[in-house]
Amino acid sequence: MKKYPVPFQRHLISLVCVAIISAGAVHMWMSRPSFVNSSESEKDELFKIHELYKTIQEDYYEEVNSDLLIEGALQGMTEALEDPYTTYLQEEESSELNEMLLGKFEGIGATLSIREEYPEIVEEPKENSPAAKSGLEKDDRIIQIDGRETKGKELSEVVEEIRGEKGSTVLLTIQRAEETLEVKVTRDTIAVESLSFQLDEDYPTIGSVQIFSFNGTTAEELKEAITALRKQGAKSFVLDVRQNPGGYLDQVEKMASMFLEDDQTIVQFGLKNEIIGETKASKDLDNGFKVTEPVVVIVDGQSASASEILAAALNESADIPVVGQTTFGKGTVQGMNHLSDQSELKMTVQKWLTPSGQWINDKGFNPTYEVPYPAYFDYPSLSASVGLKLEDEAEAVGHLNEFLSLLGYLTPENKEELFTNETKKALEMFQQENQLSVTGVLDYDTAFAIELRLFEQASATDEMYEKAIELLNNKD
């Protein structure tokens, strides 16, 4: 049976041109009008702000950057609301987030991770991307960007330096095995696919669709995926929204409508304790494209926002089973307010409820069939414990022992929190079999390799996916 990789709670890789260091992708989005000028009464209410600003400018003992004060005041206003989903975004943050949600960006199309303080390409570059056309390869280590050293930089810094306008170039100095190369890459527009799909290898009448996010093209991508899978012989479908943090509201409404009969409720909206509106399935949303075959949805604790709307709509309005874990629990809707200087205010404007009227905020949506991840999925990354050695005693050593036992290098379920001689021998054996430096000490490359092996092992036994397949087979 072909199974999708189980998405670890900790990610092993990050998309170099999609990695936006922001919580924004967790949220729902709606178009909102720009702010208008303040009234006289509002200006009076801001008197204290003007007074404080003037006092700091005149009396602070050092010169003050006016823009810094203003930006700080704007951020302070949103922080005072104590709402994690209401955020003031400066121009650059706003631009990056909008690009991501629109489903395209300008960059080189490579996937990076930081290893031993350097960015490395951890997947083969996307076909026909600038990275691929320039000859960049998996495992290339980027040691300089336009002559600037990369060692020790955060992934977000590397992303910012590599990204740029379409048609511009970036010079990357690459370490490839023992060879050092200089590669000039011409940036281009990169399309971000928000889903992938395939037939199950063992059950070729079941089509699986893994949805990564709800960006500006996802509804159309889903329609194309279902159409292609039908042509390949699919007669039922798995929709996998695990680790999917959400995205555009209009996209999930269009997608949910495809699986519901017209006039069935997709989502309701409210203010305080009052329902102020709802969205129902209709031809206006799905253009008459309907999925009437059996469907199962898979969710986990990181399925949020739009993912939760989709799962709840299909479950409550169409009795479609949901498999996995209780979802994240984000039951609010954010609007984007465009400010005059290209910055934006992302602000909570209302809450959303399931078709039955549930507000799942901070509680999550419960699956029809609960299938948990292994407990170790929630452990901290081993890379945070580099340097563990003989006779060390710590919780992280217990995790290391457990990982080594799961991979068959120690006795089953060994969770002792002491780095023993047995731990050292097991680690050396792992390092030797994986062509790593045999030191008996946990270094970064060994930690990464252990987690990657666990990821691959877990992928081969995806219990959530197997349950979804079982449910679909029982409907035949």
Side-chain angles (χ1 to χ4, degrees):
M1 181 185 299
K2 177 64 178 178
K3 303 173 183 66
Y4 282 117
V6 176
F8 266 29
Q9 302 289 20
R10 53 187 182 276
H11 296 294
L12 301 178
I13 55 176
S14 297
L15 288 176
V16 65
C17 295
V18 184
I20 310 298
I21 309 303
S22 166
V26 177
H27 314 320
M28 306 301 300
W29 298 91
M30 298 174 61
S31 298
R32 300 290 292 177
S34 301
F35 279 176
V36 296
N37 292 330
S38 300
S39 66
E40 289 301 319
S41 62
E42 289 170 332
K43 289 179 181 178
D44 291 340
E45 291 175 357
L46 297 178
F47 172 76
K48 285 181 66 177
I49 295 176
H50 293 298
E51 184 179 35
L52 178 59
Y53 174 80
K54 184 177 180 181
T55 301
I56 293 174
Q57 286 281 54
E58 293 178 353
D59 297 339
Y60 191 68
Y61 81 105
E62 290 183 345
E63 185 176 350
V64 178
N65 184 314
S66 299
D67 291 339
L68 190 64
L69 286 180
I70 294 169
E71 294 293 319
L74 293 170
Q75 291 174 4
M77 286 186 193
T78 58
E79 290 171 3
L81 296 172
E82 297 184 348
D83 176 1
Y85 307 119
T86 295
T87 309
Y88 168 73
L89 300 173
Q90 297 183 31
E91 181 178 353
E92 183 177 343
E93 296 170 313
S94 172
S95 175
E96 290 176 342
L97 184 56
N98 288 332
E99 281 185 358
M100 183 183 71
L101 287 170
L102 286 172
K104 60 183 179 180
F105 60 89
E106 294 181 349
I108 68 168
T111 304
L112 301 185
S113 179
I114 300 296
R115 299 185 64 183
E116 296 183 329
E117 298 190 87
Y118 286 97
E120 288 189 5
I121 299 175
V122 293
E123 291 182 353
E124 290 298 337
K126 186 176 179 180
E127 188 177 358
N128 295 321
S129 67
K133 291 177 180 178
S134 299
L136 293 174
E137 299 177 1
K138 180 178 179 293
D139 297 326
D140 281 348
R141 172 170 289 184
I142 303 174
I143 57 177
Q144 290 185 351
I145 302 172
D146 286 332
R148 298 184 296 274
E149 299 290 333
T150 61
K151 184 177 182 180
K153 290 186 176 181
E154 297 289 335
L155 181 61
S156 57
E157 295 179 81
V158 175
V159 169
E160 186 175 350
E161 291 185 22
I162 291 180
R163 295 184 66 186
E165 293 184 3
K166 176 181 178 179
S168 63
T169 60
V170 59
L171 181 64
L172 303 179
T173 304
I174 301 297
Q175 185 74 46
R176 182 180 296 167
E178 303 301 320
E179 190 178 10
T180 300
L181 309 169
E182 286 194 343
V183 180
K184 181 179 286 188
V185 187
T186 301
R187 301 177 177 102
D188 203 346
T189 300
I190 309 296
V192 181
E193 294 178 348
S194 60
L195 59 78
S196 65
F197 63 92
Q198 63 188 50
L199 290 178
D200 187 277
E201 289 184 354
D202 292 342
Y203 301 97
T205 60
I206 298 177
S208 295
V209 183
Q210 190 170 24
I211 305 170
F212 311 124
S213 65
F214 294 83
N215 67 30
T217 62
T218 308
E220 186 60 31
E221 288 181 52
L222 179 61
K223 180 180 177 180
E224 292 172 356
I226 295 294
T227 301
L229 288 169
R230 282 171 171 167
K231 290 180 179 178
Q232 295 172 30
K235 301 195 180 298
S236 59
F237 302 98
V238 174
L239 298 183
D240 187 346
V241 290
R242 286 177 290 181
Q243 299 286 306
N244 184 326
Y248 280 121
L249 175 60
D250 69 325
Q251 294 296 301
V252 71
E253 289 176 331
K254 292 176 182 178
M255 294 163 69
S257 184
M258 297 176 190
F259 298 87
L260 305 182
E261 296 179 5
D262 287 351
D263 293 326
Q264 288 185 316
T265 301
I266 296 171
V267 63
Q268 301 182 69
F269 302 102
L271 294 174
K272 296 183 179 179
N273 296 320
E274 179 185 2
I275 301 297
I276 62 172
E278 64 180 6
T279 300
K280 293 187 175 184
S282 69
K283 188 175 181 179
D284 289 339
L285 287 174
D286 56 44
N287 292 317
F289 182 85
K290 294 292 187 180
V291 181
T292 57
E293 297 93 336
V295 175
V296 174
V297 181
I298 310 179
V299 299
D300 67 7
Q302 297 303 312
S303 301
S305 200
S307 297
E308 295 173 291
I309 289 178
L310 182 68
L314 271 56
N315 179 250
E316 293 187 355
S317 290
D319 200 28
I320 289 172
V322 177
V323 170
Q325 294 179 312
T326 298
T327 60
F328 183 82
K330 181 186 176 294
T332 57
V333 180
Q334 281 64 50
M336 294 300 292
N337 297 273
H338 305 284
L339 307 182
S340 58
D341 64 348
Q342 304 305 311
S343 61
E344 290 184 311
L345 174 64
K346 174 170 61 65
M347 183 170 63
T348 300
V349 293
Q350 57 189 7
K351 60 184 181 181
W352 68 265
L353 301 91
T354 70
S356 68
Q358 290 189 70
W359 191 38
I360 55 90
N361 201 57
D362 294 332
K363 295 180 293 185
F365 185 77
N366 295 322
T368 318
Y369 300 91
E370 186 170 356
V371 182
Y373 282 133
Y376 65 81
F377 272 39
D378 290 325
Y379 292 173
S381 174
L382 277 181
S383 61
S385 302
V386 166
L388 291 178
K389 61 186 184 305
L390 187 64
E391 297 186 357
D392 281 351
E393 186 172 3
E395 182 180 35
V397 176
H399 295 161
L400 173 62
N401 284 332
E402 184 176 354
F403 290 166
L404 289 170
S405 70
L406 288 167
L407 293 173
Y409 293 89
L410 278 174
T411 55
E413 299 183 357
N414 186 331
K415 300 181 182 179
E416 186 178 2
E417 294 187 356
L418 179 64
F419 200 120
T420 63
N421 280 316
E422 287 72 22
T423 304
K424 185 173 184 291
K425 291 176 182 177
L427 197 61
E428 289 174 341
M429 185 181 300
F430 178 86
Q431 290 171 330
Q432 182 175 3
E433 290 183 2
N434 289 272
Q435 291 78 53
L436 300 166
S437 298
V438 181
T439 62
V441 176
L442 183 67
D443 55 34
Y444 187 92
D445 283 345
T446 303
F448 184 88
I450 289 172
E451 291 186 334
L452 186 59
R453 285 282 304 279
L454 279 171
F455 180 87
E456 293 169 346
Q457 181 170 292
S459 298
T461 54
D462 186 346
E463 294 182 2
M464 294 182 188
Y465 181 78
E466 288 178 350
K467 181 63 178 180
I469 296 297
E470 175 191 327
L471 291 170
L472 290 174
N473 281 329
N474 287 341
K475 288 190 176 184
D476 290 345

